[in-house]
Amino acid sequence: MSSTATHCPYCALQCAQTLTATDGEPLEVDGRDFPTNRGGLCRKGWTSAEVLTAPDRITTPRLRTADGQFRDASWDEALDVVASGIREQQARRGADAVAVFGGGGLTNEKAYALGKFTRVVLGSRFIDYNGRFCMSAAATASNRSLGLDRGLGFPLADLGGADAVLLLGSNVAATMPPFVQHLAGVRERGGLVVLDPRASATAALTSDGAGTHLAPVPGTDLVVILALIHVVLAEGLVDGEYIDQRTTGLEDLRAAAGLWWPERAEAVCGIGADQIRGVARSLAAASPSRGGGGAYILTGRGVEQSTQGTATVTAAIDLALLLGLIGRPGSGYGPITGQGNGQGGREHGLKSDQLPGYRQIADPAAREHVAGVWGVDPDSLPGPGVPAVELLSVLGTPDGPSALIVSGANVVVSAPNSAAVRERLASLDLLVVLDTVPSETAECADVILPVAQWAEEEGTMTNLEGRVIRRRRARPAPGEARSELWILHELAARLGHPEGFPTDASAMFDELALASAGGRADYAGLSHERLDREGSIQWPCPAPDHPGTPRVFLDGFPTPDGRARLIPVQHHVSHDDVRTDAPIHLTTGRLLEQYQSGAQTRRVPSLLAARPESFVEMHPLLADRLGIEEGDGVHLRTRRGETTAPARITEAIRPDTVFMPFHYSGPGSANLLTSDATDPFSGMPGFKMTAVEITPQERSPA
């Protein structure tokens, strides 16, 4: 028997686990004390080891045959096919003929290696990742307002002392249940405010005097925040000393927010003017400048996955700055990262415009530094690529890549307008997918390369607090499955780069630390050895003797003048607003028992039994108007496509809105309906606002 201390493979809480291995028995999972989960796990965490032994686990390379089926192949054969295919495409169409798409579940080492491989070995500018669907709006807003994006700029446990927490568009009770314990204090003090068009499990936490639930019309979150800003300014609730000393842009913001008095906002968002005033006043009363116990404003995908997602998060930051919350112990603003390594993925090279250390690829100094670590000429590095949705849309076109390598993502299910994505994948000359199971994207591939899972590899992850943690191997990978680091090493060698891609995760991390040195996300003082010795450490950590940085912005903002920017924004009508032929709002989200595209969780029997299929959640008034009863088939149609799913009737949603989970493929797939229109600043798709036509399916005769 042996025990291994590691972390859950799912969300960005990265709850600590102990995996116990006994000869011939499945791994046993136990919760382990850690700042985010305090020993607890959610249902997904407790069953996480079952994914390792999925019956359809891929354990040998597979090549597509002429009849469209797959056959097993040796690693040498499969890698030779991939390398020759890359050379052929690039010989015909140049370096940008090959694109790479990564995932927010990859370790820091693999994310770093994938970015380096794309830019050094392939010489391609085309790389992005599924974190673009998760954190891009919050990251863009944080960088331009605060000069830094670190997810939560404080330990999650700090929430426990707050008098008020405004939770904008996040259902943490379902998506990351151990998070809820950190809200116990604010609930006891009646200060939890949840913005969500659904009476979600998290919104229910506000009942019995614990707080306030605001249920806006979908697509009007920004209006609510602008109205809160209006009240704070109009009623003199601003932290004047903080604004004078630590920010710029107040007057421009005042002019913009003046347009959104609460009564006007009520007419647009559906939330009462008095309720808006009450929330603004409670946030102000909780702020340090007015003697309160502290306040936090947190954003999630519900307000970020919008074509005005960057503007919405910018407004949330503006509100936090006006109240003097950011950079104050016991208060703050933060976006709640979703994927397990959504932070590290974008910090070290998976985004189309970034190099390791959160450096901008268009910055000459950044290029020179990273090229020096990589041992290449800075001029040899490609320029910025394009965000994920745009990248997927140009695949197989005359001006786009003709080959794609996918690692750690299932875009056929998770991308918006997914039918169009499937068509683009089919148009490629070469599709290579690195995966553990035959996901919907892997099933489209020409070559499938089997990879190790979280309990079968070494590495690091960065959680929602910027906390760098160790992932440890508890068992060997089955069959011929290999680490992505090994695969990239072998491919690089075949493509003329025998050096620079170590297969050892510790060595790759040491190089990552050098490449990040001096950047916004500085890991220079970290190593596997130090993390093993001292435990998790929050970045920036610029030197081996640096203790890490649990709380950022305490001494100023990393902007040219050290001040945060108050940036005025304005609300625009949704890109896909309701209309005569599509009069209902569709919003999407996650379920407690499922995760992301479901490729992992739909293979755990107990999780699948709990949530076996998609559904359409609707209010009884809407169901009655449409003649739909509980369990009836519902047909949904949008400008992108159509799908069907059974009705689930509940009063926990607005009568003008329906909800679908996005974890499912085939019939019931929500992303067959969603739009690929994106935020102009961040490239974030507008998943949460889709105009839909709903009709009942004809019932089968009794």
Side-chain angles (χ1 to χ4, degrees):
M1 181 182 294
S2 62
S3 294
T4 303
T6 189
H7 293 264
C8 180
Y10 294 117
C11 80
L13 282 183
Q14 284 296 283
C15 297
Q17 298 179 327
T18 298
L19 301 179
T20 301
T22 303
D23 288 346
E25 298 293 329
L27 287 176
E28 179 181 322
V29 178
D30 290 297
R32 182 165 57 86
D33 189 44
F34 188 65
T36 58
N37 66 307
R38 295 172 176 168
L41 298 172
C42 75
R43 192 170 182 180
K44 295 186 293 292
W46 289 117
T47 59
S48 55
E50 295 182 40
V51 183
L52 301 168
T53 55
D56 58 350
R57 180 79 189 267
I58 303 173
T59 60
T60 189
R62 296 179 182 176
L63 300 179
R64 189 174 295 279
T65 57
D67 62 359
Q69 303 302 307
F70 285 103
R71 67 172 177 85
D72 291 347
S74 68
W75 272 108
D76 278 340
E77 182 185 14
L79 292 171
D80 285 346
V81 167
V82 174
S84 64
I86 290 172
R87 284 193 295 268
E88 178 184 351
Q89 297 305 313
Q90 292 190 321
R92 289 175 46 234
R93 308 182 69 248
D96 287 342
V98 184
V100 172
F101 200 97
L106 299 176
T107 63
N108 287 313
E109 294 82 357
K110 293 190 291 189
Y112 171 82
L114 200 59
K116 179 182 179 182
F117 178 85
T118 305
R119 285 149 178 146
V120 173
V121 177
L122 299 179
S124 174
R125 67 187 180 95
F126 284 126
I127 180 172
D128 212 66
Y129 81 132
N130 61 11
R132 183 70 65 173
F133 307 151
C134 177
M135 291 297 296
S136 58
T140 301
S142 295
N143 281 322
R144 72 178 189 172
S145 294
L146 308 175
L148 182 72
D149 158 40
R150 202 195 73 172
L152 302 186
F154 48 84
L156 185 60
D158 284 3
L159 295 178
D163 283 346
V165 173
L166 174 57
L167 192 55
L168 299 166
S170 183
N171 185 14
V172 291
T175 59
M176 44 181 65
F179 188 113
V180 172
Q181 63 191 306
H182 299 286
L183 301 175
V186 72
R187 292 176 64 209
E188 289 175 3
R189 293 181 279 278
L192 178 63
V193 182
V194 176
L195 184 82
D196 194 322
R198 304 169 64 219
S200 65
T202 305
L205 297 175
T206 65
S207 62
D208 299 325
T212 303
H213 172 214
L214 307 176
V217 174
T220 65
D221 314 295
L222 179 52
V223 170
V224 180
I225 304 170
L226 289 170
L228 292 172
I229 291 173
H230 178 100
V231 175
V232 168
L233 289 168
E235 298 189 1
L237 304 178
V238 172
D239 183 343
E241 182 179 354
Y242 179 99
I243 293 298
D244 289 343
Q245 295 179 359
R246 304 198 62 182
T247 72
T248 63
L250 176 62
E251 293 312 312
D252 288 342
L253 178 63
R254 189 187 301 276
L259 301 173
W260 288 102
W261 58 94
E263 284 76 14
R264 182 192 178 201
E266 178 180 357
V268 176
C269 69
I271 296 172
D274 289 343
Q275 199 169 30
I276 290 171
R277 288 189 174 93
V279 168
R281 291 164 185 166
S282 67
L283 287 170
S287 67
S289 68
R290 307 182 80 81
Y296 289 89
I297 297 174
L298 308 177
T299 61
R301 304 304 83 72
V303 301
E304 296 166 10
Q305 288 181 326
S306 162
T307 53
Q308 57 181 10
T310 300
T312 304
V313 178
T314 299
I317 295 172
D318 287 339
L319 178 60
L321 290 170
L322 289 174
L323 296 171
L325 306 182
I326 303 177
R328 284 259 180 85
S331 294
Y333 158 76
I336 301 173
T337 304
Q339 294 187 85
N341 201 34
Q343 288 293 130
R346 69 180 181 275
E347 291 162 6
H348 298 300
L350 286 183
K351 283 182 76 172
S352 60
D353 59 351
Q354 289 179 192
L355 290 170
Y358 222 133
R359 289 180 160 90
Q360 294 301 300
I361 198 167
D363 177 6
R367 295 169 65 86
E368 183 175 359
H369 172 83
V370 174
V373 175
W374 288 349
V376 299
D377 185 338
D379 292 338
S380 71
L381 298 178
V386 297
V389 173
E390 184 178 350
L391 173 57
L392 293 172
S393 72
V394 299
L395 294 174
T397 66
D399 297 324
S402 54
L404 177 68
I405 300 171
V406 179
S407 178
N410 188 12
V411 293
V412 168
V413 178
S414 64
N417 195 7
S418 58
V421 171
R422 187 183 286 271
E423 290 176 2
R424 300 279 26 99
L425 295 182
S427 71
L428 292 167
D429 293 329
L430 176 66
L431 175 60
V432 181
V433 177
L434 286 63
D435 215 330
T436 60
V437 294
S439 68
E440 289 77 6
T441 303
E443 289 176 344
C444 298
D446 299 297
V447 182
I448 305 176
L449 303 179
V451 295
Q453 290 201 55
W454 99 104
E456 301 158 355
E457 65 181 6
E458 297 286 332
T460 62
M461 306 283 279
T462 304
N463 81 346
L464 80 171
E465 316 157 295
R467 189 185 300 273
V468 186
I469 60 177
R470 279 281 281 117
R471 173 177 282 186
R472 298 181 179 90
R473 181 185 293 113
R475 52 168 280 175
E480 294 295 310
R482 296 286 186 269
S483 165
E484 287 93 333
L485 295 182
W486 180 87
I487 294 171
L488 293 175
H489 170 85
E490 293 294 318
L491 279 176
R494 283 168 168 78
L495 295 169
H497 293 262
E499 305 294 333
F501 289 88
T503 60
D504 176 72
S506 177
M508 187 62 79
F509 187 91
D510 289 344
E511 184 182 311
L512 178 160
L514 287 174
S516 76
R520 293 182 188 176
D522 193 333
Y523 285 32
L526 301 178
S527 65
H528 281 207
E529 186 274 333
R530 184 180 177 189
L531 293 170
D532 286 339
R533 184 178 69 250
E534 300 180 25
S536 61
I537 298 173
Q538 287 164 277
W539 69 262
C541 183
D545 59 351
H546 191 283
T549 311
R551 297 169 185 85
V552 295
F553 309 131
L554 297 181
D555 300 319
F557 297 94
T559 58
D561 60 3
R563 292 170 175 258
R565 273 58 176 146
L566 292 163
I567 300 176
V569 294
Q570 280 301 337
H571 168 71
H572 301 285
V573 175
S574 170
H575 69 284
D576 195 13
D577 202 14
V578 292
R579 53 192 182 274
T580 302
D581 64 335
I584 305 299
H585 299 281
L586 166 67
T587 190
T588 67
R590 278 174 49 185
L591 304 175
L592 170 64
E593 297 86 357
Q594 297 295 330
Y595 181 72
Q596 299 298 85
S597 73
Q600 296 163 290
T601 47
R602 285 189 278 116
R603 286 173 166 81
V604 176
S606 62
L607 299 181
L608 184 61
R611 297 288 191 175
E613 62 180 351
S614 185
F615 58 86
V616 182
E617 184 179 277
M618 63 175 60
H619 193 277
L621 291 175
L622 177 62
D624 182 65
R625 179 162 65 84
L626 297 175
I628 293 171
E629 298 178 4
E630 177 73 22
D632 281 356
V634 177
H635 184 260
L636 303 97
R637 183 194 303 271
T638 72
R639 288 170 172 166
R640 273 71 54 191
E642 52 192 285
T643 192
T644 58
R648 178 167 298 172
I649 300 174
T650 173
E651 293 186 352
I653 193 168
R654 292 177 56 93
D656 58 1
T657 303
V658 297
F659 166 85
M660 290 185 72
F662 58 66
H663 310 291
Y664 301 91
S665 62
S669 175
N671 281 327
L672 290 170
L673 307 173
T674 53
S675 171
D676 51 11
T678 59
D679 179 285
F681 301 102
S682 65
M684 170 70 84
F687 287 110
K688 292 296 187 280
M689 283 79 69
T690 302
V692 63
E693 175 193 33
I694 298 178
T695 54
Q697 276 192 304
E698 185 175 342
R699 295 190 185 97
S700 300

